[in-house]
Amino acid sequence: MSQVTRITAGQLIGEGDWIAVTEICRVCRIDAGAVHELAELGLVSPRGSAPAEWEFPASVLPRLRVVARLMRDLGVNASGAALAVELLEMRNELERRIRELERLVTERR
């Protein structure tokens, strides 16, 4: 069974770790209402029966940090930030695929 992790300065967390919503809010500097809205939009998938008890996989931290910065620094609403993050991730995936295809083409020459 995985444990819920409290993040401290310099602590390494693994992909299998789960983080409480209160820690997500503290680390990402985002309010719980925004996290709830992002979960409703399907950007993140918590476990737990009530929003106050939600836990998230550690793998969502980078995604939530970007969303939080968009919302906090640029005033983007949750829907816009979720869309922007999804588009950025799609762009990154396409760039990765292009690099892989370029590598394969170069190897065949």
Side-chain angles (χ1 to χ4, degrees), residues 36-96:
H36 186 268
E37 189 173 353
L38 294 167
E40 285 180 344
L41 291 168
L43 188 72
V44 292
S45 299
R47 71 177 183 185
S49 56
E53 299 169 359
W54 280 355
E55 300 168 350
F56 295 88
S59 60
V60 303
L61 276 176
R63 177 179 251 203
L64 284 175
R65 282 187 172 146
V66 172
V67 167
R69 286 188 61 207
L70 288 168
M71 293 174 72
R72 183 178 56 250
D73 298 348
L74 300 178
V76 177
N77 65 21
S79 297
L83 176 61
V85 165
E86 288 176 346
L87 291 172
L88 286 169
E89 289 173 351
M90 286 173 29
R91 187 202 74 197
N92 290 340
E93 175 60 19
L94 288 171
E95 287 176 346
R96 185 198 63 76

Side-chain angles (χ1 to χ4, degrees), residues 7-38:
I7 301 171
T8 57
Q11 179 179 351
L12 292 176
I13 54 175
E15 286 185 23
D17 290 332
W18 287 79
I19 304 168
V21 67
T22 54
E23 288 298 302
I24 290 285
C25 293
R26 185 181 66 78
V27 169
C28 296
R29 295 178 23 207
I30 189 171
D31 66 70
V35 174
H36 186 268
E37 189 173 353
L38 294 167

